[in-house]
């Protein structure tokens, strides 16, 4: 699978970007040249230079250090939000597909209802009632992405349930939960992995959008979205406040998209031809 | 065709009911007392009690839901707790800028996507095709708030060609109004253009490989005529599907675009209501947006059946 992914033309670039982002996130305390929260009012809006590679912001904080620390928030947000959606969606999908009948109808109509909201509007409304902060945003994004995984898992369960090996396991007297856990879920995993790898980039974008609007991690903590929002008032005097985190966000999302495409090419039989 | 519309409408009713229940539950998901969240600590206890009574929060949950649904069916979506204005009035006042923005953004996206998508397919695996693919990746991965700021920086701050914020109605002040919407429409339209370009390229490629295209070419038709008369019509079906699927992204994008460019639209109203903790207004606007979204999807479904007769017969 990895060899197939690596063969895709843009996958190595994407993998390199993602690896770099993970390394930066893990080693942020060692890598950041300055304290990301330390203000220096004597050196505000300083141009990028040797002392501050990406310049300083309106209260003299080092933009590079804040971009480095912001990597953590973005990656954690993307991964945790998708993980919540994968777990909740898969569970709901298995229950719906396995139980069928009214339970299936109820779960899937619930998922349809969640899908009836534009994703960002729903995340904004949920983030608002759960309160500003990373946890609220993670839960909100988790809820927004859950129906995609629930639908996918339900479809897989219905297909796999009709296979001979599942029939055989049942005939041998295996209880329902064991058949689901040992035979159905592992065989349904591929499409879930593909969807999860494609969703991380969009979850990172969504977190940045919510942080940009003022939900998500609160100042003075650094997140790419909130840094861009804070910098937009200084676009004329100090565009680097916006462009530093903006470039980091864009490159990370591009990298994750390439990796997601490569994983899909490697795992999805329909794209193998 | 009528049966298709009825069937789709029938499937929409339970979803609409669940959506209303979800929006109703929104207020009750607030950790702690929603009245305390909506009002500052210093506000008088009597004022808080009045608001609690006014919103019916002192009654059992099922009574609250029944009363809320009853008002909803009469077209009453509640009032803003900040200025007392009915939600329906707030939204209708802000609908025009949002619709104008959506229409212009859609126009921008189709004007870009059609030529680029078709040329990329016809000139497959050439530098033009690769440039088109790069544009598509750029459009899909670029957050629209960042694109908005880049456009503001280049066309507003540096070149000073276009206004960077504010709104003038194009229906009242034609040219100035259009100028005020150019940057927001490009911001919103570019991401959509990227997705449509990608879809159109692959659907045109697929259609170009069909037998009827070979027949048309064998008849001696020019390449342009083949594309115009035979390829494009068949390549449109996936584009309509994608436009339908992208509606949610378009609405979300409009929220951010209106926020960045200070446009007085419905998206901006949601953000303002969220930060003012005006939950009745949040509930009302989110419900209206969701209903609008469901109805738009319904229209896309019906349109899909109209374009492709095979869908109707299913």
């Amino acid at each position: 699978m990895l060899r197939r992914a690596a063969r895709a033309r843009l996958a190595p670039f994407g993998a390199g970007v993602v690896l770099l982002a993970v390394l930066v996130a893990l080693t942020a305390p060692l890598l950041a040249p300055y304290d990301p929260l330390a203000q220096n009012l004597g050196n505000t809006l300083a141009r990028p230079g040797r002392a501050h590679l990406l310049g300083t912001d309106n209260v003299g904080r080092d933009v590079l250090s804040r971009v480095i620390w912001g990597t953590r928030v973005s990656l954690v947000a993307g991964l945790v939000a998708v993980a919540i959606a994968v777990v909740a969606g898969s569970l709901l999908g298995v229950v719906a597909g396995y139980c069928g009948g009214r339970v299936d109808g109820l779960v899937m109509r619930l998922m349809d209802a969640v899908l009836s909201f534009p994703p960002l509007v729903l995340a904004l409304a949920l983030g608002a009632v759960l309160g500003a902060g990373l946890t609220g945003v993670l839960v909100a994004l988790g809820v927004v992405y859950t129906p995609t995984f629930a639908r996918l898992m339900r479809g897989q369960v219905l297909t796999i349930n009709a296979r001979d090996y599942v029939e055989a396991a049942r005939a041998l007297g295996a209880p329902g939960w064991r058949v689901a856990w040992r035979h159905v879920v592992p065989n349904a995993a591929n499409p879930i992995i593909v969807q999860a790898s494609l969703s991380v980039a969009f979850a990172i974008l969504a977190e940045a959008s919510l942080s940009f609007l003022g939900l998500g991690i609160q100042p003075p903590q650094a997140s790419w979205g909130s840094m861009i929002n804070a910098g937009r008032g200084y676009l004329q005097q100090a565009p680097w406040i916006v462009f530093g985190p903006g470039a980091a966000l864009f490159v990370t999302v591009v990298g994750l998209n390439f990796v997601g495409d490569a994983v899909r090419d490697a795992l999805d039989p329909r794209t193998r031809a | 065709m009528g049966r298709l519309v009825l069937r789709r409408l029938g499937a929409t009713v339970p979803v609409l009911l669940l959506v209303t229940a979800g929006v109703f539950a929104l207020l009750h998901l607030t950790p702690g007392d929603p009245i305390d969240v909506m009002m500052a600590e210093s506000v008088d206890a009597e004022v808080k009690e009045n608001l609690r009574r006014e919103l019916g929060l002192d009654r059992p949950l099922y009574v609250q839901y029944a009363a809320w649904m009853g008002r909803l069916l009469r077209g009453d979506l509640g009032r803003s707790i900040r200025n007392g204005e009915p939600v329906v009035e707030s939204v209708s006042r802000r609908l025009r800028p949002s619709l104008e923005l959506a229409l212009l953004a859609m126009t921008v996206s189709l004007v870009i996507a059609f030529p680029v998508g078709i040329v990329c397919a016809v000139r497959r695996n050439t530098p033009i095709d690769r440039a088109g693919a790069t544009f598509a990746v750029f459009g899909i991965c670029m957050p629209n708030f960042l694109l908005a700021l880049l456009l503001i920086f280049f066309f507003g701050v540096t070149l000073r060609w276009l206004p960077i914020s504010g709104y003038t109605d194009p229906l009242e002040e034609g040219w100035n109004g259009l100028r005020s919407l150019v940057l927001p429409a490009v911001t919103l339209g570019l991401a959509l253009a990227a997705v449509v370009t990608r879809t159109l390229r692959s659907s045109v490629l697929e259609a170009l490989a069909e037998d009827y295209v070979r027949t048309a070419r064998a008849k001696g038709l020019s390449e342009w005529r083949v594309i115009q008369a035979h390829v494009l019509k068949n390549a449109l079906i996936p584009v309509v599907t994608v436009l339908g699927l992208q509606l949610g992204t378009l609405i979300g994008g409009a929220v951010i675009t209106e926020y960045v460019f200070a446009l007085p639209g419905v998206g901006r109203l949601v953000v303002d209501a969220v930060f003012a903790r005006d939950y009745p207004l949040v509930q009302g606007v989110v419900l209206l947006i969701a209903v609008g979204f469901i109805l738009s999807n319904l229209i896309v479904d019906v349109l899909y059946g109209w374009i492709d007769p095979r869908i109707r017969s299913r």
Side-chain angles (χ1 to χ4, degrees):
Chain A
M1 170 209 140
L2 284 176
R3 209 179 304 147
R4 280 191 70 88
R7 250 189 315 196
R9 230 166 6 113
L10 296 165
F13 169 75
V17 168
V18 174
L19 202 66
L20 185 68
V22 171
L23 277 176
V24 168
L26 288 175
T27 59
L30 304 171
L31 217 58
Y34 297 91
D35 177 353
L37 305 181
Q39 302 184 3
N40 179 0
L41 295 175
N43 191 25
T44 59
L45 307 180
R47 286 179 170 282
R50 217 177 269 175
H52 298 279
L53 285 177
L54 292 180
T56 64
D57 67 7
N58 56 317
V59 286
R61 291 174 299 201
D62 180 52
V63 174
L64 176 64
S65 303
R66 291 178 66 72
V67 168
I68 289 172
W69 278 90
T71 313
R72 274 192 173 188
V73 176
S74 283
L75 288 191
V76 166
L79 292 172
V80 174
V82 172
I84 292 173
V86 167
V87 172
S90 300
L91 275 176
L92 287 169
V94 168
V95 168
Y98 229 79
C99 298
R102 280 189 184 173
V103 177
D104 182 23
L106 181 69
V107 171
M108 292 332 282
R109 290 302 77 73
L110 262 175
M111 296 298 102
D112 286 348
V114 176
L115 284 172
S116 302
F117 294 93
L120 190 79
V121 174
L122 180 60
L124 195 62
L126 283 174
V129 292
L130 295 173
L134 193 57
T135 315
V137 167
L138 293 180
V139 174
L141 291 178
V143 171
V144 167
Y145 290 116
T146 293
T148 314
F149 292 97
R151 278 185 166 188
L152 207 57
M153 184 55 106
R154 175 183 174 270
Q156 287 296 306
V157 169
L158 290 180
T159 313
I160 293 166
N161 246 344
R163 298 261 164 85
D164 288 344
Y165 58 83
V166 174
E167 197 66 34
R170 278 209 199 96
L172 286 171
W177 63 266
R178 191 180 156 84
V179 177
W181 183 245
R182 289 291 300 271
H183 300 283
V184 177
V185 173
N187 285 297
N190 274 4
I192 299 286
I193 294 171
V194 171
Q195 186 58 44
S197 63
L198 289 167
S199 300
V200 173
F202 292 105
I204 286 180
L205 272 183
E207 184 277 328
S209 302
L210 292 175
S211 291
F212 177 80
L213 291 174
L215 289 170
I217 221 162
Q218 295 298 297
Q221 301 295 327
S223 93
W224 293 340
S226 61
M227 285 173 73
I228 293 170
N229 190 31
R232 74 191 177 110
Y234 302 92
L235 209 51
Q236 196 161 6
Q237 310 100 298
W240 50 86
I241 306 179
V242 165
F243 294 156
L249 176 61
F250 177 66
V251 173
T252 307
V253 171
V254 170
L256 279 164
N257 256 306
F258 288 161
V259 171
D261 283 347
V263 172
R264 185 193 52 204
D265 291 346
L267 288 179
D268 190 348
R270 280 169 302 181
T271 58
R272 273 185 201 169
Chain B
M1 195 69 189
R3 269 192 17 221
L4 174 79
V5 177
L6 277 179
R7 206 171 58 219
R8 293 292 305 139
L9 266 175
T12 304
V13 174
V15 174
L16 267 175
L17 274 174
L18 283 169
V19 164
T20 54
V23 171
F24 171 77
L26 216 53
L27 187 61
H28 301 275
L29 284 173
T30 322
D33 185 355
I35 298 292
D36 284 340
V37 178
M38 282 188 267
M39 300 192 123
E41 266 177 38
S42 56
V43 173
D44 196 40
E46 201 180 324
V47 177
K48 286 187 178 176
E49 273 319 299
N50 282 343
L51 180 64
R52 194 184 305 279
R53 260 199 308 278
E54 198 186 322
L55 294 177
L57 294 176
D58 53 344
R59 290 182 287 174
L61 210 58
Y62 65 92
V63 178
Q64 286 182 43
Y65 181 62
W68 188 73
M69 278 300 283
R71 282 201 306 271
L72 213 65
L73 290 173
R74 291 195 301 273
D76 177 5
L77 271 83
R79 286 168 182 273
S80 155
I81 57 162
R82 301 287 166 208
N83 58 19
E85 192 180 21
V87 173
V88 178
E89 272 178 34
S90 295
V91 172
S92 57
R93 208 156 29 82
R94 287 161 173 260
L95 209 55
R96 199 143 107 179
S98 292
L99 288 179
E100 285 167 356
L101 172 64
L103 202 69
L104 271 177
M106 197 72 99
T107 311
V108 167
S109 69
L110 295 182
V111 164
I112 296 173
F114 266 75
V116 176
I118 294 169
V119 169
C120 284
V122 175
R123 303 261 178 271
R124 191 187 182 184
N125 294 334
T126 62
I128 295 178
D129 186 20
R130 278 190 283 277
T134 309
F135 162 71
V137 170
F138 175 85
I140 290 165
C141 296
M142 175 62 90
N144 51 9
F145 56 88
L146 186 57
L147 177 64
L149 294 179
L150 283 174
L151 291 173
I152 288 174
F153 181 71
F154 286 113
F155 296 102
V157 175
T158 310
L159 299 169
R160 294 179 188 278
W161 285 355
L162 292 160
I164 57 172
S165 74
Y167 166 76
T168 311
D169 193 341
L171 296 177
E172 282 166 14
E173 285 185 51
W175 178 239
N176 278 340
L178 271 180
R179 270 169 51 88
S180 76
L181 284 176
V182 168
L183 291 185
V186 172
T187 301
L188 195 54
L190 218 59
L192 190 61
V195 181
V196 176
T197 301
R198 229 185 211 190
T199 312
L200 193 63
R201 177 190 176 273
S202 58
S203 62
V204 166
L205 272 179
E206 217 165 277
L208 278 173
E210 295 286 347
D211 289 342
Y212 54 78
V213 170
R214 200 178 334 139
T215 311
R217 279 184 184 142
K219 281 195 305 187
L221 291 185
S222 68
E223 192 64 19
W224 168 236
R225 182 86 190 119
V226 171
I227 288 173
Q228 193 195 13
H230 297 278
V231 172
L232 213 48
K233 205 170 169 189
N234 287 294
L236 270 185
I237 295 164
V239 173
V240 173
T241 313
V242 160
L243 283 176
L245 289 173
Q246 288 296 312
L247 272 175
T249 315
L250 192 73
I251 296 170
V255 170
I256 290 183
T257 308
E258 287 176 8
Y259 174 75
V260 177
F261 290 98
L263 296 181
V266 180
R268 174 88 203 196
L269 184 65
V270 180
V271 178
D272 289 346
V274 162
F275 286 103
R277 303 200 165 176
D278 192 342
Y279 290 141
L281 186 57
V282 173
Q283 277 181 310
V285 184
V286 168
L287 182 64
L288 282 178
I289 291 177
V291 171
F293 186 43
I294 292 172
L295 291 180
S296 314
N297 274 320
L298 192 71
I299 292 169
V300 171
D301 270 4
V302 173
L303 200 65
Y304 198 39
W306 179 64
I307 294 175
D308 190 348
R310 287 168 301 184
I311 308 277
R312 260 177 274 164
S313 57
R314 260 178 229 161

